[in-house]
Amino acid sequence: MKPISDFMAQLGRDFSNQPLVVEIILKGQWKTLMGEQISGNARLLSFGDGVLQVEVSDERWLQELSRLSEEIRGRINKFFGKDVVRAVRFVQKS
């Protein structure tokens, strides 16, 4: 039996032209994709037009994750097996 993450990745590939489906999948897989530390300090807000918007807990995380934006984009696109995310934007929690 395949892991649920494999099913979710395939679903994302099949519906990559549907931003809401991609967003729901990413929200469900966020902790798995980002790991405990990042997911504890960054929350996916939205996805649309290839842009992932992520809320971070403070200025330090804003700077750190901004430096890692290409790695984060790469992890997500690797998960889906195609270029779904073209940019990641970070906003600090207000």
Side-chain angles (χ1 to χ4, degrees):
M1 182 179 288
K2 290 185 176 186
I4 189 76
S5 61
D6 289 355
F7 171 74
M8 298 306 282
Q10 182 61 52
L11 188 64
R13 282 189 293 278
D14 293 345
F15 292 93
S16 62
N17 63 337
Q18 300 292 319
L20 183 58
V21 174
V22 172
E23 181 178 329
I24 290 168
I25 291 168
L26 285 174
K27 284 182 176 179
Q29 296 295 307
W30 189 250
K31 189 174 183 179
T32 301
L33 290 168
M34 295 300 114
E36 190 77 34
Q37 192 172 23
I38 291 175
S39 66
N41 290 284
R43 179 176 71 94
L44 190 150
L45 289 177
S46 64
F47 175 76
D49 197 28
V51 179
L52 190 69
Q53 187 157 339
V54 178
E55 180 183 63
V56 297
S57 58
D58 58 36
E59 179 67 28
R60 183 178 78 91
W61 279 100
L62 180 68
Q63 291 175 7
E64 181 66 26
L65 293 181
S66 292
R67 284 191 291 270
L68 295 173
S69 65
E70 284 303 306
E71 180 182 330
I72 290 168
R73 190 176 73 81
R75 283 185 200 181
I76 293 168
N77 288 336
K78 182 178 178 183
F79 172 76
F80 285 115
K82 64 192 305 186
D83 287 341
V84 175
V85 175
R86 63 177 175 76
V88 182
R89 299 224 171 93
F90 299 97
V91 295
Q92 188 173 333
K93 187 175 180 179
S94 49

